[in-house]
């Protein structure tokens, strides 16, 4: 008899991250993981280096300095914030605390894959609601709720589609869900949004017992390497998660760097402006090439390619040869598409000129 893992685990298709190497000798432009091309705030880097002096000490398990900084900048109660080793860890903790084998986790058709992986890890069934035009469909989600549904995960905006649903649609979703179901709104790209009718969902958390928002320092803040994210949740959910999370789940360098990053609002504002300028430019240029970028409010575009000679897989191979690394999204049920992260000006220009050559 050999050891066997819990049911569900053998069915998991391991998460495939964005590629980061091309042919030897070819300069790499990595646009496959939605990383910012601007790096982290210099203040975050300085705080990280300063934290080197205390590496022999355990971190503050409550991450108080970071929770206070987030609370001040986002105007949220610090005692209802929990920090995690990336928002990934918080997704996992929520699932482990509230979902058992045989329960259901509801996601949108092209929803972020980590929800599925964590749900499968506890033997839960993943139910996915169809999308219209690559967009989360509130009515479809509501139609797929059953007595076994425990958590609904909605990334808003969603990765890899880039689409979002409005504040009023999110409110309608919450109102239509039974009260025992947790609605987890993942705002990994919230800081990039410029839309009037978009919110991060925090107004639905205040006063609720069943709604949480998840956020990360991996995207606009440029700190994916140190694994730090946060959740704003009702006090009873915080109490549950605090019981099961590791007592030292986030490190001192991560706490200090993220606290400095969130306070450097000038840096964040510039990063947002930079992204939105080049997001719009890329969208226009891709359309001029005859490709189909879907509307995005994140730092990336989902681009549909034609079938045949100019297919997404041929495009991917052509770009790869030339050091331009993008993300294939067939594992999200999008075999005709590639996801392209917004880069520096020269990266974006290289992407467009290379795609132009490819399409000739
Ligand atoms: C990048 C991303 C995350 C963040 O993951 P971390 O674990 O915080 O690095 C979460 N959700 C979505 C939808 C993402 O794209």
């Amino acid at each position: 008899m050999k050891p066997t893992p819990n049911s569900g685990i053998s069915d998991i298709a391991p998460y495939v991250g964005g590629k980061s190497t091309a042919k030897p000798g070819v300069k790499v432009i990595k646009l496959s993981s939605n990383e910012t091309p601007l790096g982290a705030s210099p203040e975050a880097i300085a705080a990280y280096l300063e934290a080197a002096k205390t590496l022999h000490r355990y971190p503050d398990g409550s991450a108080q300095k970071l929770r206070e900084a987030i609370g001040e900048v986002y105007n949220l109660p610090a005692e209802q914030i929990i920090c995690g080793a990336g928002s990934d860890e918080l997704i996992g903790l929520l699932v482990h605390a509230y979902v058992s084998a045989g329960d259901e986790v509801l996601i949108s058709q092209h929803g972020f894959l980590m929800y599925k992986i964590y749900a499968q890890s506890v033997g839960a069934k993943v139910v996915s609601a169809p999308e219209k035009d690559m967009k989360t469909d509130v009515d479809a989600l509501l139609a797929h709720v059953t007595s076994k549904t425990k958590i609904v995960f909605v990334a808003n905006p969603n990765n890899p589609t880039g689409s979002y649903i409005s504040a009023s649609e999110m409110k309608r979703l919450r109102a239509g869900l039974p009260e025992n179901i947790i609605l987890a709104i993942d705002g990994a790209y919230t800081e990039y949004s410029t839309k009037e009718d978009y919110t991060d969902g925090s107004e639905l958390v205040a006063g609720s017992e069943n709604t949480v928002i998840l956020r990360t320092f991996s995207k606009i803040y440029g700190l994916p390497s140190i694994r730090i994210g946060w959740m704003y949740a009702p006090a009873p959910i915080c109490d549950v998660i605090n019981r099961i999370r590791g007592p030292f789940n986030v490190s001192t360098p991560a706490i200090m760097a993220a606290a400095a990053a969130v306070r450097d609002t000038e840096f964040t504002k510039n990063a947002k402006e930079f992204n939105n300028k080049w997001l719009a430019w890329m969208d226009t240029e891709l359309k001029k090439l005859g490709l189909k970028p879907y509307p995005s409010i994140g730092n990336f575009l989902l681009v549909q390619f034609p079938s045949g000679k100019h297919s997404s897989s041929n495009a991917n191979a052509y770009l790869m040869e030339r050091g331009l690394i993008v993300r294939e999204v067939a594992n999200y049920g999008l075999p005709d598409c590639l996801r392209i992260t917004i880069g520096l000006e020269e990266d974006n220009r290289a992407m467009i000129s290379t795609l132009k050559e490819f399409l000739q």
Side-chain angles (χ1 to χ4, degrees):
M1 283 283 275
K2 56 176 185 162
T4 47
N6 296 335
S7 71
I9 292 180
S10 316
D11 300 334
I12 297 175
Y15 186 84
V16 182
K19 292 199 182 80
S20 53
T21 49
K23 279 207 306 201
V26 177
K27 185 191 162 222
V28 168
I29 300 177
K30 185 181 179 219
L31 301 172
S32 56
S33 297
N34 294 349
E35 296 153 335
T36 173
L38 303 176
S41 151
E43 302 200 8
I45 295 169
Y48 176 87
L49 293 173
E50 182 66 21
K53 293 177 184 159
T54 63
L55 291 182
H56 62 298
R57 300 286 180 201
Y58 275 95
D60 162 25
S62 83
Q64 188 178 347
K65 287 219 168 77
L66 176 54
R67 290 186 300 104
E68 281 172 4
I70 293 166
E72 277 170 39
V73 173
Y74 288 103
N75 196 20
L76 296 172
E79 64 281 5
Q80 281 174 251
I81 291 169
I82 293 185
C83 299
S87 45
D88 276 359
E89 185 190 21
L90 296 163
I91 297 167
L93 289 170
L94 275 175
V95 170
H96 281 266
Y98 289 96
V99 186
S100 304
D103 286 340
E104 294 176 4
V105 167
L106 179 55
I107 62 173
S108 191
Q109 184 180 0
H110 303 299
F112 186 50
L113 275 177
M114 290 312 299
Y115 314 143
K116 189 171 170 185
I117 290 177
Y118 283 117
Q120 288 176 310
S121 79
V122 297
K125 182 175 161 195
V126 180
V127 176
S128 92
E131 298 185 356
K132 281 191 201 115
D133 291 332
M134 303 284 178
K135 223 176 127 170
T136 301
D137 180 339
V138 168
D139 293 307
L141 281 172
L142 291 175
H144 284 77
V145 170
T146 75
S147 59
K148 292 183 174 161
T149 311
K150 290 291 162 69
I151 306 183
V152 180
F153 282 102
V154 178
N156 199 36
N158 185 44
N159 171 18
T161 54
S163 64
Y164 77 104
I165 60 172
S166 68
S168 61
E169 278 292 278
M170 193 65 86
K171 191 174 169 195
R172 194 164 74 78
L173 173 61
R174 178 64 268 178
L177 291 172
E179 286 179 4
N180 65 309
I181 296 178
I182 293 178
L183 172 61
I185 304 169
D186 180 348
Y189 304 92
T190 286
E191 296 86 358
Y192 286 114
S193 170
T194 53
K195 301 286 178 189
E196 286 284 325
D197 62 349
Y198 172 85
T199 69
D200 66 356
S202 50
E203 76 283 2
L204 296 175
V205 180
S208 94
E209 298 237 24
N210 50 22
T211 304
V212 308
I213 63 168
L214 298 162
R215 301 283 288 270
T216 183
F217 285 94
S218 297
K219 303 290 158 56
I220 204 167
Y221 293 109
L223 299 170
S225 154
I226 55 173
R227 314 303 306 126
I228 184 90
W230 55 280
M231 172 171 75
Y232 167 45
I237 294 183
C238 290
D239 180 62
V240 167
I241 300 302
N242 275 326
R243 285 166 198 261
I244 65 164
R245 77 175 166 83
F248 306 109
N249 63 327
V250 294
S251 69
T252 306
I255 293 168
M256 302 315 278
V262 77
R263 289 189 197 279
D264 192 352
T265 51
E266 189 63 24
F267 182 89
T268 314
K269 183 170 156 267
N270 290 336
K272 175 176 172 171
E273 277 168 18
F274 177 91
N275 182 68
N276 285 296
K277 175 180 169 192
W278 288 101
L279 180 72
W281 185 84
M282 283 292 287
D283 183 76
T284 307
E285 295 298 316
L286 289 163
K287 283 176 184 153
K288 280 196 219 158
L289 296 179
L291 297 172
K292 185 177 176 191
Y294 286 92
S296 170
I297 67 162
N299 66 339
F300 58 91
L301 284 161
L302 182 71
V303 185
Q304 191 169 331
F305 286 73
S307 53
K309 185 166 150 237
H310 295 143
S311 69
S312 63
S313 54
N314 289 347
N316 185 54
Y318 191 91
L319 293 169
M320 198 72 180
E321 265 305 278
R322 288 152 186 84
L324 285 154
I325 309 179
V326 300
R327 182 68 145 264
E328 290 192 284
V329 283
N331 54 344
Y332 282 91
L334 298 163
D336 303 337
C337 296
L338 295 176
R339 192 196 67 194
I340 304 176
T341 306
I342 303 305
L344 293 173
E345 171 167 1
E346 62 264 32
D347 306 336
N348 301 328
R349 292 192 187 277
M351 176 62 66
I352 294 299
S353 60
T354 309
L355 281 172
K356 194 170 179 180
E357 274 166 31
F358 165 71
L359 292 165
Q360 263 160 17

